[in-house]
């Protein structure tokens, strides 16, 4: 039994995907070909924003946000400690300082109460310029943006939505990728909407950010490709990946329905045994992962393995405990909820092609 069944998805979409790829092979515009522009238009329409700018991967998407927002040395950027390394990595790569925040125990997302606590602590220390918040839509569930955006406004901070796992989720009908000042996603194959390689995108309603991002992703180019008006990077989504994503995006709404059916089935069977993932009223998750909490994690994983069911652990080491961030001086116990999650969560298979048995 595969943890994420990409083969089943491909077999379902094979004719459409193969046809799309063949068109690219026929026209030969492999970099920034017409499918890239078509995808960007459809992504923006789906998310409900003015601009969708594709790039090479989800980490580059976050890096490009750092560049567009001019995040630099001396800036404090707040982010969850319970997340994938890239969320904090791009902050440090921009020479800014990641300031970690504890998790909400029921949603696993960044805790708004601790976020404000960390902002006030950083301001009182007076060493860093508080600049931005990176909130992560962990495991497919959008973070608490109504509260996060309210806190950001209070302290004049920018908000970046890291929707690498959250694409397809929503809050009161407003889709992931449309929150904050600027948002990112990843098209890594295992993501809810994934391609057959690396890929990413950035979303914004801000015209100035959009123009900067389009320049930064192609070596900081100006109106002419050989007139580079700023220092940028090389981060373009290739045309074949765009072609694949166009067909997957067309099928994506049905896959979300299937994922939610699978999660409902898991909840019915497992809620009496484990702490199961909770979706607040008005929220919808894209179920990038279906994640359980158990104080006997290793024993539970062994049970599933014996029955032939794969499991995975996301994420076994918090950011503040990573070797690369030792220089920040955090200690064990600084983020008790996140630390407990790191040693007790495990995920079960989740994708749009799980067979759900009816009662």
């Amino acid at each position: 039994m595969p943890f994420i069944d990409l083969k089943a998805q491909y077999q379902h979409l094979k004719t459409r995907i193969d046809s799309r790829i063949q068109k690219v092979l026929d026209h030969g515009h492999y970099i920034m070909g017409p499918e890239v522009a078509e995808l960007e238009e459809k992504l923006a329409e789906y998310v409900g924003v003015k601009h969708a700018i594709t790039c090479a991967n989800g980490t580059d998407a976050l890096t490009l946000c750092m560049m567009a927002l001019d995040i630099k040395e001396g800036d404090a950027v707040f982010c969850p400690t319970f997340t994938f390394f890239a969320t904090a990595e791009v902050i440090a790569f921009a020479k800014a300082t990641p300031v970690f925040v504890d998790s909400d125990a029921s949603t696993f997302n960044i805790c708004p109460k601790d976020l404000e606590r960390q902002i006030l602590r950083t301001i009182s220390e007076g060493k860093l310029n508080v600049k931005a918040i990176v909130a992560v839509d962990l495991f497919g569930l959008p973070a608490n943006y109504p509260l996060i955006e309210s806190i950001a406004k209070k302290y004049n901070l920018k908000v970046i939505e890291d929707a690498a796992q959250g694409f397809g989720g929503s809050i009161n009908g407003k889709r992931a990728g449309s929150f904050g000042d600027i948002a990112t996603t990843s098209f890594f194959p295992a993501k809810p909407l994934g391609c057959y390689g690396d890929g990413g995108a950035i979303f914004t309603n801000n015209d100035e950010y959009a123009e900067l991002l389009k320049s930064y992703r192609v070596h900081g180019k100006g109106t002419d490709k050989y007139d580079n008006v700023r220092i940028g990077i090389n981060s373009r989504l290739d045309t074949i990946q765009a072609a694949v994503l166009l067909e997957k995006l067309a099928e994506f709404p049905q896959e979300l329905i299937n994922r939610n059916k699978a999660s409902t089935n898991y909840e019915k069977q497992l809620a009496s045994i484990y702490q199961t993932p909770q979706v607040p009223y008005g929220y919808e998750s894209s179920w990038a992962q279906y994640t359980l909490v158990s104080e006997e994690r290793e024993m539970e994983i062994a049970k599933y393995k014996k029955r032939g069911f794969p499991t995975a652990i996301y994420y076994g080491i918090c950011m503040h405990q990573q070797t690369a961030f030792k220089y920040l001086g955090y200690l064990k116990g600084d983020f008790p909820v996140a630390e407990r999650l790191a040693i007790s969560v495990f995920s079960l298979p989740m994708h749009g092609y799980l067979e759900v048995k009816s009662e």
Side-chain angles (χ1 to χ4, degrees):
M1 181 184 188
F3 189 77
I4 298 171
D5 199 342
L6 294 175
K7 287 183 180 179
Q9 183 192 50
Y10 174 61
Q11 287 305 314
H12 181 68
L13 300 173
K14 179 176 170 52
T15 302
R16 290 155 56 184
I17 287 175
D18 288 357
S19 176
R20 277 282 191 177
I21 292 173
Q22 188 60 53
K23 285 181 181 177
V24 178
L25 297 175
D26 288 342
H27 67 57
H29 298 293
Y30 299 115
I31 303 295
M32 302 297 282
E35 285 80 4
V36 174
E38 182 184 354
L39 177 65
E40 290 179 338
E41 183 179 337
K42 290 186 175 177
L43 285 170
E45 181 183 358
Y46 179 84
V47 170
V49 294
K50 286 175 70 175
H51 306 283
I53 300 98
T54 55
C55 59
N57 56 70
T59 304
D60 277 4
L62 287 168
T63 296
L64 287 161
C65 288
M66 298 291 129
M67 297 167 79
L69 295 176
D70 192 30
I71 289 169
K72 55 190 182 297
E73 190 171 3
D75 291 338
V77 180
F78 302 87
C79 72
T81 186
F82 186 57
T83 185
F84 181 60
F85 189 69
T87 305
E89 177 185 34
V90 298
I91 299 166
F93 191 74
K95 298 186 178 179
T97 301
V99 179
F100 296 120
V101 181
D102 209 351
S103 303
D104 178 270
S106 60
T107 66
F108 312 144
N109 276 326
I110 191 169
C111 173
K113 286 184 180 178
D114 194 53
L115 171 62
E116 186 161 23
R117 191 179 302 121
Q118 298 301 332
I119 291 169
L120 288 170
R121 179 185 62 78
T122 306
I123 291 170
S124 69
E125 286 177 355
K127 296 176 183 178
L128 299 167
N129 171 43
V130 293
K131 187 72 172 279
I133 301 160
V134 182
V136 178
D137 302 342
L138 200 67
F139 305 146
L141 181 70
N144 189 342
Y145 290 103
L147 264 179
I148 292 166
E149 289 175 348
S150 174
I151 292 167
K153 187 175 181 181
K154 185 176 178 180
Y155 298 101
N156 194 30
L157 298 171
K158 298 294 184 184
V159 176
I160 300 165
E161 177 190 3
D162 180 349
Q165 297 177 27
F167 188 86
S170 64
I171 304 175
N172 298 322
K174 184 175 166 64
R175 284 199 168 120
S178 67
F179 296 103
D181 297 278
I182 195 165
T184 69
T185 199
S186 167
F187 300 128
F188 183 78
K191 294 296 189 280
L193 180 66
C195 56
Y196 291 155
D198 264 323
I202 307 145
F203 306 97
T204 186
N205 286 312
N206 186 299
D207 296 339
E208 182 183 347
Y209 293 161
E211 289 308 306
L212 281 171
L213 292 163
K214 288 174 186 176
S215 171
Y216 278 131
R217 72 170 169 178
V218 189
H219 303 287
K221 78 176 184 70
T223 52
D224 182 274
K225 69 179 290 187
Y226 294 114
D227 177 24
N228 300 86
V229 297
R230 54 184 61 86
I231 303 299
I233 61 176
N234 176 22
S235 185
R236 299 167 295 199
L237 181 70
D238 76 70
T239 312
I240 286 178
Q241 300 303 339
V244 170
L245 285 164
L246 280 164
E247 291 307 322
K248 288 198 176 189
L249 181 61
E251 190 69 15
F252 190 59
Q254 182 58 51
E255 291 186 357
L256 281 179
I257 291 170
N258 297 346
R259 284 172 176 266
N260 275 278
K261 284 180 180 177
S263 71
T264 300
N265 192 53
Y266 274 144
E267 174 71 17
K268 286 178 182 177
Q269 295 187 45
L270 301 174
S272 62
I273 306 170
Y274 307 107
Q275 178 187 331
T276 54
Q278 299 303 301
V279 179
Y281 180 78
Y283 286 62
E284 289 187 6
S285 177
S286 59
W287 299 107
Q289 283 86 32
Y290 188 86
T291 303
L292 302 167
V293 180
S294 173
E295 301 304 322
E296 305 290 339
R297 178 170 72 185
E298 298 310 316
M299 185 189 304
E300 295 302 315
I301 287 174
K303 287 180 185 176
Y304 281 101
K305 185 177 181 181
K306 190 174 181 180
R307 294 168 60 193
F309 291 105
T311 59
I313 295 173
Y314 306 87
Y315 298 95
I317 304 176
C318 292
M319 290 302 100
H320 70 282
Q321 297 170 314
Q322 296 276 345
T323 303
F325 289 126
K326 275 187 176 179
Y327 71 95
L328 294 172
Y330 288 103
L331 301 172
K332 184 178 180 181
D334 283 344
F335 304 100
V337 176
E339 289 174 26
R340 182 179 73 86
L341 291 173
I343 61 172
S344 60
V345 297
F346 68 102
S347 300
L348 299 181
M350 173 55 75
H351 53 82
Y353 299 85
L354 273 176
E355 291 185 19
V356 178
K357 295 180 181 177
S358 57
E359 297 275 333

